[in-house]
């Protein structure tokens, strides 16, 4: 809504594109809130990132899903999008594809771990292979001097009231996730 997830997505895309032979695209899911509600919330205009349809997911060799958090889980807009993937599920068109997760929460207690944990169920039902970053980001995972989002499940940031944007360290973690994920996705594709 405020651009936090998009900022992380841009870095994840850069990280993925840094891996030789990898293509990466950014998409956004359809907005479900009426324009008048978005205006009251102070949401800026939507970016020009293309809107994805559920069937387009099947074209990807791997997918890194990013979403804001509402009450400790993915926002309703993203859940509604995934709920529309029943045809893909029925045909198991996403089965075996690697998938990652990244997110934005409003506060430190706002779902930095519950959001990805609750999202993994969507991946499991589709038969997707969850690719967490674990602690591969190294020392950046142990930052204690500054507020930093993210977890072993994926890159993250804290939005606060919407005015805090991802820090340099959070963007570095997102870049790392993109590069790490793309490396694994490429290896999986090459092995089949």
């Amino acid at each position: 809504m405020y651009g936090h997830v998009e900022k992380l997505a841009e870095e994840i895309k850069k990280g993925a594109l840094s891996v030789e032979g990898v293509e990466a695209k950014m998409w956004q899911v359809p907005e479900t809130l009426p324009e008048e509600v978005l205006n009251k919330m102070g949401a800026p205009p939507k970016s020009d990132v293309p809107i994805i349809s559920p069937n387009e997911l099947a074209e990807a060799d791997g997918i890194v899903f990013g979403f804001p958090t509402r009450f400790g889980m993915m926002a309703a807009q993203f859940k509604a999008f995934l709920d529309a993937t029943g045809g893909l599920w029925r045909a198991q068109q996403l089965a075996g594809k690697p998938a990652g997760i990244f997110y934005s929460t409003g506060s430190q207690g706002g779902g930095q771990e519950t959001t990805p944990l609750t999202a993994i169920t969507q991946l499991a039902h589709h038969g997707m292979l969850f690719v967490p970053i674990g602690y591969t980001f190294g020392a950046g995972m142990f930052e204690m001097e500054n507020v930093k989002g993210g977890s072993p499940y994926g890159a993250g940031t804290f939005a606060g009231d919407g005015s805090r944007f991802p820090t340099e360290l959070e963007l570095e973690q997102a870049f790392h996730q993109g590069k790490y994920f793309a490396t694994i996705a490429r290896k999986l594709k090459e092995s089949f």
Side-chain angles (χ1 to χ4, degrees):
M1 181 175 301
Y2 299 106
H4 299 81
V5 172
E6 185 174 359
K7 291 281 184 222
L8 292 176
E10 290 167 353
E11 290 303 310
I12 287 172
K13 181 179 177 183
K14 288 178 191 174
L17 291 173
S18 74
V19 177
E20 187 177 335
V22 170
E23 293 178 34
K25 295 180 183 178
M26 273 179 49
W27 301 89
Q28 62 180 318
V29 300
E31 179 58 70
T32 59
L33 293 174
E35 195 66 37
E36 68 180 68
V37 172
L38 292 170
N39 289 336
K40 287 179 183 177
M41 296 174 77
K46 291 290 179 192
S47 73
D48 58 356
V49 172
I51 305 287
I52 191 169
S53 69
N55 288 337
E56 288 173 292
L57 292 173
E59 299 169 14
D61 294 323
I63 305 161
V64 185
F65 296 106
F67 33 77
T69 299
R70 296 292 183 273
F71 304 112
M73 61 183 70
M74 73 176 66
Q77 292 91 330
F78 210 92
K79 179 67 168 73
F81 174 78
L82 290 176
D83 285 348
T85 63
L88 296 174
W89 165 78
R90 197 169 20 265
Q92 285 295 285
Q93 288 184 280
L94 302 180
K97 291 181 186 280
I101 297 170
F102 65 102
Y103 39 85
S104 171
T105 64
S107 66
Q108 291 177 333
Q112 288 282 313
E113 290 205 347
T114 60
T115 300
L117 278 172
T118 56
I120 289 171
T121 60
Q122 309 290 320
L123 309 181
H125 281 266
H126 277 289
M128 299 182 86
L129 309 173
F130 179 50
V131 180
I133 60 171
Y135 284 83
T136 61
F137 186 50
M141 292 298 290
F142 300 97
E143 172 60 40
M144 297 298 285
E145 298 300 317
N146 299 296
V147 174
K148 182 193 85 58
S151 71
Y153 301 101
T157 189
F158 298 108
D161 63 0
S163 63
R164 181 193 185 273
F165 278 87
T167 65
E168 194 58 41
L169 185 59
E170 290 168 336
L171 294 173
E172 288 171 13
Q173 184 179 37
F175 181 93
H176 169 76
Q177 182 174 4
K179 184 174 183 177
Y180 181 76
F181 181 86
T183 300
I184 290 173
R186 188 184 74 193
K187 285 180 185 177
L188 281 171
K189 183 178 181 179
E190 290 171 354
S191 69
F192 288 103

